[in-house]
Amino acid sequence: AQKVTQAQTEISVVEKEDVTLDCVYETRDTTYYLFWYKQPPSGELVFLIRRNSFDEQNEISGRYSWNFQKSTSSFNFTITASQVVDSAVYFCAVNSNSGYALNFGKGTSLLVTP
Amino acid sequence: DAGVIQSPRHEVTEMGQEVTLRCKPISGHNSLFWYRQTMMRGLELLIYFNNNVPIDDSGMPEDRFSAKMPNASFSTLKIQPSEPRDSAVYFCASSYRRESNSPLHFGNGTRLTVT
């Protein structure tokens, strides 16, 4: 079975602060895939990034960066110089070759205040 | 490209009534998923289809829930009879299942309220 734990339920930061959202996953599969999704207040779920288990290189996209550490089963997401528009619920998810669907964590609600 | 289209956006109904949620996946996608989101349980997978065939419906709460995919461009999720505990946001998602890392593309969801 696969499981994702997002221990941080809510985070509040002031604009321009850096913030890291934690994600710890469990899977018995040797090949698996990790995802992050964003759910803004409007409610839609927006795909941000995917990473496969063989690629441990960190990735940076603008103010967003992701740190994948297989040794600790973590796939953390950092927003640099946060902005009010980053306020949303962020979900981490995992799936594998043996499964079609994504298993989501409970999400972290991020509030960025001016 | 049009994204995943769900209807209605909001549904308010009384307990005991039948509710039908609809989904049009992205053209060319061959996998379709129904998720339910609640505060208590987060995002739960209800059922998914591959090439219009239900693959896993173990997440469907009980017999009151049923889902169909009569063709590649349409799916329904039906609740009969509805109960207040079914109140949630129901998301439909689709993907092109060629590789396991295909991201799911979600619709805007249907917010269901059962009174």
Side-chain angles (χ1 to χ4, degrees):
Chain A
Q2 298 173 330
K3 182 181 177 182
V4 172
T5 301
Q6 294 181 255
Q8 304 150 308
T9 305
E10 296 180 350
I11 300 176
S12 182
V13 300
V14 177
E15 204 171 21
K16 297 184 183 177
E17 286 185 12
D18 298 348
V19 57
T20 295
L21 311 181
D22 298 333
C23 171
V24 174
Y25 61 91
E26 296 176 27
T27 180
R28 294 178 182 175
D29 296 294
T30 54
T31 301
Y32 52 89
Y33 304 89
L34 301 164
F35 300 77
W36 276 94
Y37 280 79
K38 174 181 179 179
Q39 187 174 39
S42 50
E44 70 271 24
L45 283 156
V46 179
F47 165 69
L48 295 178
I49 190 174
R50 66 181 169 221
R51 171 70 69 220
N52 72 54
S53 53
F54 297 113
D55 183 2
E56 290 193 65
Q57 286 190 358
N58 293 331
E59 181 157 341
I60 298 175
S61 175
R63 296 183 298 106
Y64 294 173
S65 63
W66 289 269
N67 183 294
F68 174 32
Q69 292 196 347
K70 212 168 179 178
S71 60
T72 57
S73 298
S74 65
F75 186 43
N76 296 337
F77 174 28
T78 297
I79 302 174
T80 303
S82 59
Q83 300 176 0
V84 172
V85 293
D86 296 327
S87 297
V89 181
Y90 291 86
F91 293 93
C92 182
V94 63
N95 82 346
S96 69
N97 275 335
S98 61
Y100 285 72
L102 296 185
N103 294 288
F104 287 87
K106 292 292 180 66
T108 296
S109 178
L110 174 64
L111 177 64
V112 182
T113 56
Chain B
D1 284 342
V4 175
I5 299 173
Q6 291 186 247
S7 64
R9 287 298 308 275
H10 302 274
E11 177 79 39
V12 180
T13 190
E14 292 183 350
M15 181 174 64
Q17 297 297 308
E18 176 179 298
V19 175
T20 299
L21 311 181
R22 297 173 175 78
C23 175
K24 177 179 171 56
I26 292 173
S27 178
H29 282 187
N30 60 352
S31 292
L32 183 139
F33 308 79
W34 283 100
Y35 281 85
R36 178 172 68 177
Q37 184 177 33
T38 60
M39 289 294 293
M40 289 297 294
R41 301 173 71 89
L43 277 160
E44 302 175 276
L45 175 69
L46 299 177
I47 185 172
Y48 65 83
F49 296 83
N50 193 51
N51 294 323
N52 310 338
V53 176
I55 302 300
D56 183 357
D57 64 354
S58 59
M60 296 286 261
E62 47 199 273
D63 292 345
R64 297 185 298 106
F65 285 69
S66 62
K68 294 183 180 180
M69 192 165 186
N71 57 62
S73 59
F74 184 65
S75 176
T76 58
L77 177 67
K78 185 178 294 187
I79 308 173
Q80 166 64 21
S82 57
E83 297 182 2
R85 59 189 168 130
D86 301 331
S87 298
V89 180
Y90 291 81
F91 285 101
C92 176
S94 70
S95 71
Y96 179 53
R97 176 95 185 143
R98 183 179 60 186
E99 297 175 352
S100 298
N101 64 349
S102 302
L104 272 59
H105 298 267
F106 285 83
N108 288 329
T110 295
R111 181 174 295 277
L112 173 65
T113 303
V114 183
T115 60

